[in-house]
Amino acid sequence: MMKNPIELVVFDMAGTTVRDEHEVEACFRAAAVKTGLEMTDEETLAVQGWAKRFVFETFWERQLGSRDEIWLQHVDHSFHTFTEILENHYLSQPVVPTVGTLEVFAFLREQGIKIALTTGFYRKVTDIILERLGWLQGLDEHYLNTGNSVIDCSISSDQVSNGRPAPDMIFKAMAMLNISTAEKVINIGDTPSDIQSGKNARTAYNLAVSNGTHPAELLLPHHPDKLLETTAGLIEFIKKL
């Protein structure tokens, strides 16, 4: 018996609970090319999980060498272009859960463990995804479960001061769901920034899945507590605690 039983699992969205076959990277690349931002494919992959506007702020600063009015104009243009491409993608293409995710949600509900979704997406596209999945139903205006939602809360990167790898979204989920300590929390994602955010929050367990945007060889160097093939592995992981 654990001294501090798990009360909350914080999940990433794209690549972890929502299938992403590198579509978000493709949207980034398309926006970068269209607006003249220089990013390699490797860099685009490496920043998956970051707050999306922060990506453009970081790489435009690198390209221009400063943060000034011209920098801000480029950031605004690239981010606006990206949002148009991304929203069109999620409105027009299939949006489905990753393998095993619905089974994991059902198991956690049976165990009385709360479910939080966090994401590097901004609120508008987060809502599009949740709506397409049917997960928005039952959430109130604060994105808290009113009693009949698949999840217990949803947090997007523009709802906190700092996106991943900062722990702000994990801490916000804890506050929203009245979880007193990170020792009662499992964090799970598919990117290095997901793993780092869990480490920064000092969650009880910090897990990664290898069927998302990053394969095992790119995740293991970041030392997750456990690498799962899919979110379905979380069921046996919790049973063994």
Side-chain angles (χ1 to χ4, degrees):
M1 182 71 69
M2 289 187 65
K3 182 178 180 181
N4 294 297
I6 297 302
E7 296 182 3
L8 168 66
V9 179
V10 178
F11 294 88
D12 169 55
M13 287 182 64
T16 303
T17 54
V18 183
R19 190 176 69 190
D20 178 8
E21 297 178 353
H22 299 282
E23 294 102 329
V24 178
E25 291 169 57
C27 292
F28 259 115
R29 284 194 294 270
V33 169
K34 193 170 183 178
T35 60
L37 177 61
E38 297 169 2
M39 290 182 69
T40 67
D41 290 349
E42 292 76 13
E43 289 169 338
T44 304
L45 176 61
V47 298
Q48 295 306 299
W50 291 20
K52 306 315 177 191
R53 184 179 174 87
F54 181 68
V55 175
F56 292 109
E57 291 174 347
T58 301
F59 281 85
W60 270 117
E61 180 180 17
R62 184 187 70 175
Q63 188 165 324
L64 297 174
S66 63
R67 292 191 175 212
D68 52 21
E69 187 61 34
I70 299 299
W71 165 82
L72 182 59
Q73 291 174 9
H74 281 292
V75 170
D76 287 343
H77 181 43
S78 288
F79 183 65
H80 179 70
T81 301
F82 170 70
T83 61
E84 288 184 335
I85 295 170
L86 186 70
E87 289 166 20
N88 179 68
H89 167 75
Y90 279 114
L91 286 168
S92 62
Q93 301 301 314
V95 182
V96 298
T98 53
V99 173
T101 289
L102 294 181
E103 291 80 2
V104 170
F105 285 177
F107 169 78
L108 295 176
R109 187 70 67 211
E110 291 171 0
Q111 300 298 311
I113 299 172
K114 295 186 181 297
I115 301 163
L117 297 186
T118 61
T119 178
F121 292 136
Y122 52 97
R123 190 74 251 174
K124 182 178 179 180
V125 79
T126 302
D127 286 355
I128 291 171
I129 297 168
L130 293 175
E131 180 71 36
R132 295 289 306 278
L133 290 166
W135 298 353
L136 192 60
Q137 181 179 352
L139 298 181
D140 65 15
E141 66 274 19
H142 303 295
Y143 298 94
L144 273 169
N145 188 4
T146 59
N148 62 343
S149 177
V150 173
I151 63 174
D152 290 297
C153 75
S154 163
I155 300 164
S156 56
S157 62
D158 56 351
Q159 292 180 274
V160 294
S161 298
N162 302 289
R164 301 188 191 108
D168 295 28
M169 288 194 287
I170 296 174
F171 290 155
K172 184 173 179 64
M174 290 170 55
M176 290 173 68
L177 298 172
N178 298 313
I179 306 300
S180 60
T181 172
E183 293 177 358
K184 298 180 179 181
V185 179
I186 290 175
N187 179 63
I188 182 167
D190 69 304
T191 70
S193 64
D194 293 329
I195 297 170
Q196 191 58 50
S197 68
K199 289 181 181 293
N200 289 337
R202 298 189 177 183
T203 55
Y205 297 99
N206 197 26
L207 312 181
V209 290
S210 60
N211 68 326
T213 59
H214 286 64
E217 59 266 25
L218 294 182
L219 294 169
L220 288 172
H222 297 274
H223 307 293
D225 294 320
K226 180 78 172 179
L227 181 64
L228 308 174
E229 291 185 4
T230 71
T231 55
L234 185 59
I235 295 175
E236 286 304 313
F237 182 86
I238 290 177
K239 285 181 177 179
K240 291 178 180 179
L241 292 180

